[in-house]
Structures are given as C-alpha cells and as structure tokens.
Amino acid sequence: MTTAPAIEALGLAKRFGRTTALADFSLTVARGEAFGFLGPNGAGKTTAVKLLLGLCRATSGAAEVLGAPVGDRETRRAIGYLPELFRYQEWLSAREVLGLHARLIGIPRTKRAAHIGEALDLVGLAARADDRVGGFSKGMQQRLGLGVALLGEPALVFLDEPTSALDPAGRRDVRAIVENLRARGTTVFLNSHLLTEVERVCDRVAFVDGGSVVAAGSIAEILGASRSLRMHLESVDESVRAILSRYGAVAAEPPSFTLRGVAEGDVPRLVTELAAAGAQIHAVEPARTTLEERFLQLLSHDDADTHDRRADAS
Amino acid sequence: MPTLTIAALTLREAVRRRVAAVVAILSLVLVALIAWGFWKLNGAIGNRTEAIGADAVLAILLAFMFSVVLGIGGAFLAAGSIAAEIDSGIALAVLPRPISRAQYVAGKWLGLVTLVISYAAVSGALAFLAIRFAAGYDPPNPLGALAYIIAQSVALLTLALLLSTRLPALAGGVLSVGLFGVSWIAGITAGVARALKAETLAHVASAVGLLLPMDGLWRGAVFDLTPVVVQVAEATGHGQHVNPFGVSDPPTPAFLVWCAVWIAAVFGACVGSMRSRDI
C-alpha cells in the first residue's frame, strides 16, 4: 500500500495573462482525511482544484495526486469531481449520464448497473433516474453531479461548493455523505463557503487568499490559536487594563468585552490577578471561536497587512 | 474505447436534440420535390438529348444544394461540439476522467464524420434514385460525386472543430462557413482568371484553393456528375471560357493526397490546441 499523500502541491503558480490566480501554492493532504479548502471569492480555490485535476496547466511548480503526477490518466480513474459550475448533458437521463461516466472510468459492463443504482440511491435520485436532466432543478442537477463524482468508489473526491444549490435537507444529506466517505477511507477535498459544514465534517482545513495558503492545520489547531474569553468586569482601572493587555487583546470597552488570544492554562491566574487588582468579576466564560470568526479574522488580518504594505510603499 | 464512447455520445446528441429528425424530414421533402421537378422537366422537354442536358445541369445544382446544406450543417455542429461543452461546463465533468484530450477530440470528430457520411449516403442515394425514377437519368458517377461531397464536408467540419477549441460556438460556426465561402469564391476566381489569362490572380486564387481545399473537392463532385459529352466540350475549350463553374478534369491524385494531409494536419492542430487549452 502506497504511503504517498493524497495531494501534495509544491509552489504551484498559475497566471492568466497579467492576472495571477495562484502564487506559490503549497499543500499536503493525507490519505483518508476530509480536508476543507476555504477562502474568499477570487482567492484561487477553483483554480487550485483545476490544476490538481489537470484541467489547467500550472505556470510553475509541481503537484502529485494519489502519488502520481497531476493529469496521470490511470490515477484519474480513482478521482471524482463535482465542479462548482455543474452542468451535465441535458438531453440525457440521470441514469444515462452516470452510464457515460461509468464507461469513461472503465467500470466493467457487468457491474455498471449496480454502481449506477448505488449512486442514484446515495444522492436521492432513484425515483427520477430515467428523467431527462434538462427537466431537473439546480438542486437535482447538483445531486446528480455528486452521484457522478462518487461513481466507482473513488479514492479521492473533489467537491467544489457541493451544497450551493441545495436546500437544508440536501445539505444535511451531503454532510452525511462526506462523513460516510471519510469513514470508508476516501479522501475528501471540500471547497465550500459554508464554514459550519466544513467545521462539522473536516479533519483539517486550509485558508487560501490572494492565491496562496495563509493558514493550514487541524480544526483544533486553527481555532485554538485564537482562544477568547467573554468577560463582564466592573471597577476597571488602569492596573486592571494593564493585566488584561498582558494576557490578550481587549475587544470593545469594559464592562462587557471579549479578551482574545488567551492561552488556556493562563485563565485561573488571570482571574486571580484581576481579583487582586480590585476588579469586580461578574462573568468569565470561554468564547468558542467558530471557523467563520477565524476565517474573518484571517481575512481582516490579511487586509491590514495589505494596507500596511501599501502604507509602507507610499 | 473512450474515443468510441465520445463518438457515440455525439451521435446520440444529434438524435436527441432532433437534429437528425429535422434533417431527415427536410431531406425527404427535398427528394420528393426533386422527383416531381425532374418529372415535370422531362415532360416539358420533348427532345431526349436536350432533356439529358437539362437533367445534368439540374442534378449538379441539386448536388450543390446538398453539399452546401451538408457542409454548413456539419460546420455548425462541429463549431459547437467542443466550444459549447467548455462554455457550459459539461467539459469540466468529462475531461477529468481517464480520457486524453486527443481521444476526446477524436471521439467528437468520429461522431460528426459518421453523422455526415450517414446523412450524405442516405439522402444522396434517395436523391439519385428519385432522379432515375422520375426522369430516367443517371449521372455518370454518383458514388464518386457522393464521396467528393462527403470529403468536402469532412474537411470543413475538421476546420470548424479546430475553431471550436478556441472560439465560442457561434463565432466558430460563422467563421468556418465564411471560409467555406472564401474557398468557393477562390475556385471560381481561379477559373475566371485562367480564362482571362490573369496569371497572378490565378496563382493567388489557386493558393487559397490549396489552403482551403473544400471547393477543389466540390469540383470533383461536379466532374463526376457532368455527362461525358459536356466534359469533352469543357476540355476542348468550348465550355471553359463561358462557364467558370464547369469542370473539365477530375482532381489530380496529388490534390487528393494534399486534401488527406490537410485534413490530418488540421485534426492534429485541433488536438494540439485542445491539449494546451485551460478548461
């Protein structure tokens, strides 16, 4: 059994004319993990996915997928892909679309019907299997796309905004599908704006902005880096403020405020020091940072850096 | 195997999108009109020799109409076959599969060529049979003419497929049909220039005819549909000066080899263009 990562990208760059879509993009995704790929619009997420699938050619850098160079034809049998812009032959039925992909993957003729039936059941389209795709709603087409991506039990699945056209029930179904894929050892590369979904199903995430990865790690690592405390204090004088600023960054003015960036082990000592300094402590509770908050922090930090760089330049 | 899958898909698309049905109905109506027209024409002309001459001219005009329909139809289908899949996003789902860009292009080409050959064979056979039954007239070499018309259409659709790898469907369709027209005009211009002994113009028009060999192939069809007596008149100079559409000689073997090389080269450019294209 190969030990090569599911995805390994090193310094990938992609330029379209003068526009740099991706710059020095490096990333490693282990086999069997559900990986969240996050970033604002235009950050380069879809370009990165297309490079890893061989749909676009990198301007520089290198990448391997499932231990083979990007674009390797045999390896592509083991890769499923649901594009963000999902469109299938509207003049075919859902079953025929899956049949087409089953032939392209090389599923033996005798096993095709079973694989197609499984995919239809999995995405909830069995009842509409023989209807033309042209009559499907966007949500149904996205379900079909998911079925196409999962056909033939791929080892690696790229899902680019897989719930963009789905209702809440559909999103729940996709979450269950991703959890099921992870349970059976399939690597899932999930590109999504729905950070709550990503937080629920992914082992690790990477934030991409401006064409390169700005942060990557497990969910715990990403969120742990910014532990916050919600506090309600009264009698806050300069000495209390000095203590607070030693432990973290005060957001908003007391009495009710959030103290960001406090190390977990420092909380008891912080409370003791505040009490000794005469602060009246009404509430101290850990504020769990969501992935969404962390995402916005990273972006605002990035914006500030950009602003600083511009200021320096001027 | 992936090539045949894409070819079968291309054929199925033509059937499902009712292209095949519309073309079949149109062809049947045209064949019926042809039979009626030939029957009426031969009834109006009492002299058998004169009737054969009129039948020959009418047969060539009808073949011209069929070749234009076939050429333009094939060009528009080819111009949309890759571009539309890239623009709509269908290609995003198909191309990550274990299929090379060359196989994808070959599948599209094969499907379109099969479609053109099927249509030309069926509609051509029906048209020639209709002429035989209505007027008792058989063109000298209908199979040869059919082969030239098919070759002309294959050349044009290969060019349109190349354009389809880079241009939107409509732009590719309009441009390929425009180039078809340029080829046709170049052929006529070359004939007129030779008759008027305008050598420079004749050379330029001939060069354009080599770069866009569709008209040269069509002239092969005209030769095969022209009765021997008219061919002799053209060859001896009695027809050439007054008829730039007339053909006195069949295409040379060298020209036919050139056409095969041309189609292969354009197909190769199509594969190369697709390989280097970001989807």
Side-chain angles (χ1 to χ4, degrees), chain A residues 14 50 54-57 73 76-77 79 81 87-89 91-92 96 100-101 104-105 132 148, chain B residues 5 9 12-13 16-17 88 90 92-101 103 276-279:
Chain A
K14 180 64 183 174
K50 286 183 175 181
L55 286 169
C56 289
R57 294 204 299 188
R73 273 178 55 199
R76 274 148 61 186
R77 287 187 203 285
I79 297 173
Y81 173 45
R87 277 286 295 275
Y88 300 89
Q89 291 80 356
W91 37 274
L92 291 179
E96 288 168 338
L100 164 68
H101 286 266
L104 290 174
I105 297 169
R132 293 272 173 97
V148 168
Chain B
T5 301
L9 188 70
R12 188 187 276 190
E13 180 176 8
R16 290 280 172 89
R17 287 191 184 276
S88 69
I90 288 175
L92 287 175
V94 172
L95 291 175
R97 294 304 188 192
I99 173 174
S100 69
R101 300 277 173 103
Q103 287 173 325
S276 62
R277 163 112 201 220
D278 287 334
I279 306 299

Side-chain angles (χ1 to χ4, degrees), chain A residues 67-86:
Chain A
V70 161
D72 177 75
R73 273 178 55 199
E74 276 311 304
T75 307
R76 274 148 61 186
R77 287 187 203 285
I79 297 173
Y81 173 45
L82 169 63
E84 181 183 21
L85 175 63
F86 52 88

Side-chain angles (χ1 to χ4, degrees), chain B residues 38-212:
Chain B
F38 270 84
W39 179 63
K40 281 287 181 192
L41 183 72
N42 281 267
I45 303 173
N47 184 312
R48 182 64 190 147
T49 309
E50 285 179 12
I52 288 175
D55 288 341
V57 170
L58 197 54
I60 291 171
L61 287 174
L62 287 169
F64 179 68
M65 183 199 69
F66 267 114
S67 85
V68 169
V69 169
L70 194 66
I72 292 178
F76 267 97
L77 283 177
S81 66
I82 292 177
E85 292 204 347
I86 293 174
D87 291 346
S88 69
I90 288 175
L92 287 175
V94 172
L95 291 175
R97 294 304 188 192
I99 173 174
S100 69
R101 300 277 173 103
Q103 287 173 325
Y104 176 75
V105 170
K108 289 284 180 193
W109 186 83
L110 195 60
L112 290 164
V113 168
T114 306
L115 204 61
V116 161
I117 291 175
S118 307
Y119 170 73
V122 173
S123 63
L126 283 175
F128 288 131
L129 283 174
I131 294 171
R132 175 185 285 181
F133 283 114
Y137 173 73
D138 277 324
N141 185 8
L143 287 180
L146 214 50
Y148 280 119
I149 289 172
I150 288 170
Q152 174 201 249
S153 185
V154 168
L156 184 59
L157 78 82
T158 309
L159 179 64
L161 202 64
L162 169 62
L163 297 174
S164 182
T165 63
R166 294 285 161 173
L167 294 177
L170 189 60
V174 169
L175 184 54
S176 51
V177 169
L179 292 174
F180 184 32
V182 168
S183 169
W184 190 62
I185 292 295
I188 293 171
T189 305
V192 171
R194 273 194 293 271
L196 299 175
K197 301 200 185 320
E199 287 190 5
T200 306
L201 182 61
H203 288 321
V204 170
S206 298
V208 173
L210 285 175
L211 288 173
L212 298 167

Side-chain angles (χ1 to χ4, degrees), chain A residues 139-255:
Chain A
M140 288 169 67
Q141 289 194 38
Q142 194 161 35
R143 283 175 180 271
L144 173 61
L146 197 58
V148 168
L150 302 180
L151 193 67
E153 299 183 351
L156 169 61
V157 182
F158 289 91
L159 303 177
D160 197 348
E161 300 291 353
T163 56
S164 59
L166 297 182
D167 57 22
R171 288 180 194 161
R172 186 196 57 209
D173 291 348
V174 170
R175 195 164 63 233
I177 287 170
V178 172
E179 283 167 350
N180 186 35
L181 287 170
R182 190 174 58 170
R184 78 178 189 211
T186 306
T187 308
V188 181
F189 192 91
L190 180 60
N191 178 2
S192 176
H193 280 122
L194 291 176
L195 302 181
T196 317
E197 306 286 332
V198 171
E199 196 172 343
R200 283 189 189 182
V201 299
C202 289
D203 304 299
R204 292 202 310 133
V205 296
F207 287 94
V208 61
D209 194 19
S212 55
V213 175
V214 294
S218 67
I219 299 279
E221 285 167 348
I222 293 284
L223 299 183
S226 62
R227 184 169 296 279
S228 300
L229 290 178
R230 284 203 193 94
M231 307 184 84
H232 186 108
L233 303 184
E234 286 183 357
S235 304
V236 176
D237 57 16
E238 286 307 311
S239 62
V240 171
R241 285 182 187 278
I243 294 167
L244 288 171
S245 60
R246 238 184 25 248
Y247 281 87
V250 179
E253 278 297 299

